[in-house]
Amino acid sequence: MIGSYEDRVASDLDRGSETTGVESDSVSVYLKRKLRGLDLRTRLTVSDHEHLKSEHDELIGATSRASFDGRTTELMQRAGYPVEVGGGAAVLTPWLELTHRRQEIEEFTISNPYVSDVTYSGTEVGETLAGIGLDARVEPIALGETATLRLFGGLGYAQSLARDDHRLTIGEAAGLGADQVETIEREQLRRVTLSLGGEVGVRLSYRF
């Protein structure tokens, strides 16, 4: 599967504004197999990002821009155990999931109207998530003679097992002071997901 994503965020500063954005292209590869009653699903996703950063100073009317690359690699493994209920009218699948994600951001330099150019070091962080949930699907329901309705849904919960903080070094090209080391803390993730859906199938017949 191939996908694209784009996002922009603008914020006000004391004497200007800042805009950050990202454009991403990703490729995902899926592997499904059965083993002793288990449905095993593996997903590998690699995403390349182009980050954009713009700072505008209203006092002197100057705008500074920079672009830099990044990459995210994610590996997910899910194991589910489908169980038929109601004489096969529905299937319930409890599942467990483990995901590991690695993010890399390259070094970049942006101009500053008051000091020399400022360089931000690259960073590399990882995180591991564990998930548990339950999926359900109902066998197709007849809608007249030519259509069927299939219902499905799921409930899941995910939580961080480990999540690194971003650490980066900020330095000026003129080297007038010591480099500054910043730590951007990332809170532990807790997420609940609920999905509901349906599919309508229609059988068409033609006579010639």
Side-chain angles (χ1 to χ4, degrees):
M1 179 181 292
I2 299 175
S4 296
Y5 172 81
E6 183 176 349
D7 190 27
R8 292 282 193 280
V9 177
S11 55
D12 294 330
L13 304 177
D14 291 341
R15 58 174 185 272
S17 61
E18 178 183 70
T19 301
T20 58
V22 61
E23 298 178 2
S24 301
D25 295 312
S26 63
V27 176
S28 297
V29 178
Y30 295 85
L31 175 63
K32 296 181 180 181
R33 62 191 185 280
K34 293 184 178 294
L35 178 64
R36 296 182 180 180
L38 293 175
D39 283 345
L40 302 179
R41 179 184 179 188
T42 304
R43 184 188 73 234
L44 174 64
T45 301
V46 178
S47 303
D48 288 322
H49 316 293
E50 181 183 8
H51 298 270
L52 307 172
K53 184 178 179 65
S54 175
E55 297 177 350
H56 178 70
D57 191 305
E58 294 180 351
L59 184 62
I60 61 175
T63 301
S64 301
R65 296 182 177 88
S67 63
F68 49 100
D69 295 331
R71 170 173 290 188
T72 300
T73 304
E74 181 179 283
L75 179 63
M76 181 275 290
Q77 177 66 62
R78 174 182 289 197
Y81 189 77
V83 179
E84 292 187 355
V85 296
V91 177
L92 299 179
T93 305
W95 52 263
L96 296 173
E97 183 178 285
L98 190 65
T99 303
H100 181 71
R101 183 182 299 124
R102 199 75 187 168
Q103 295 177 306
E104 305 170 37
I105 299 178
E106 294 185 354
E107 177 182 291
F108 72 96
T109 299
I110 188 168
S111 61
N112 188 297
Y114 301 99
V115 296
S116 58
D117 291 352
V118 178
T119 297
Y120 295 79
S121 68
T123 87
E124 184 175 339
V125 296
E127 62 180 320
T128 302
L129 303 173
I132 186 171
L134 177 67
D135 290 341
R137 61 179 175 85
V138 178
E139 288 302 302
I141 302 171
L143 300 176
E145 297 181 356
T146 60
T148 58
L149 172 65
R150 183 190 297 271
L151 300 175
F152 51 86
L155 177 65
Y157 173 77
Q159 178 175 320
S160 300
L161 297 181
R163 203 174 198 206
D164 297 338
D165 295 331
H166 284 283
R167 291 178 57 87
L168 67 154
T169 302
I170 306 172
E172 293 181 30
L176 300 179
D179 291 345
Q180 180 180 353
V181 178
E182 293 284 347
T183 299
I184 303 174
E185 297 182 355
R186 299 198 299 168
E187 296 181 354
Q188 297 300 300
L189 177 67
R190 291 180 175 84
R191 181 177 61 209
V192 177
T193 57
L194 174 64
S195 62
L196 297 171
E199 294 179 350
V200 175
V202 179
R203 183 176 69 255
L204 301 177
S205 60
Y206 298 92
R207 293 182 178 180
F208 298 94

